[in-house]
Amino acid sequence: MDVTSLLVQVISGAAGGIAGVALFRGYSLGPLGNAVAGAVGGVLGGQALASLAGWGDASAAGGAVSGVSNVVSSGVAGLIAMVVAGVVRKMIGNSSG
């Protein structure tokens, strides 16, 4: 993985985490928390989702398709990571009270 792909995954994941609040308001971690959870999810899950969706290896696909698939998969992974972190936060908050 090159630095450009890593930056795309971080940015797309953070954007996915921030955008996820519009769909899942109850699981928000705050603006910074959403961005951080999304960025981590974008990096960790971006390549996995691309493989599962059949987009294959980003370097093998090449060109614009590779870039779009990297952005989409990292954004979705960021959204999922934000929601999972929000669910865990709610579960911990509910069990301690």
Side-chain angles (χ1 to χ4, degrees), residues 6-23:
L6 182 63
L7 287 174
V8 167
Q9 289 176 342
V10 168
I11 293 168
S12 299
I18 292 168
V21 175
L23 298 172

Side-chain angles (χ1 to χ4, degrees), residues 59-79:
S59 62
V65 173
S66 172
V68 170
S69 67
N70 196 12
V71 169
V72 170
S73 61
S74 298
V76 170
L79 185 145

Side-chain angles (χ1 to χ4, degrees), residues 14-30:
I18 292 168
V21 175
L23 298 172
F24 303 101
R25 293 187 195 280
Y27 300 110
S28 177
L29 304 168

Side-chain angles (χ1 to χ4, degrees), residues 37-84:
V40 170
V43 171
L44 296 179
Q47 291 293 46
L49 280 177
S51 297
L52 289 173
W55 294 321
D57 183 21
S59 62
V65 173
S66 172
V68 170
S69 67
N70 196 12
V71 169
V72 170
S73 61
S74 298
V76 170
L79 185 145
I80 292 169
M82 185 279 297
V83 171
V84 168

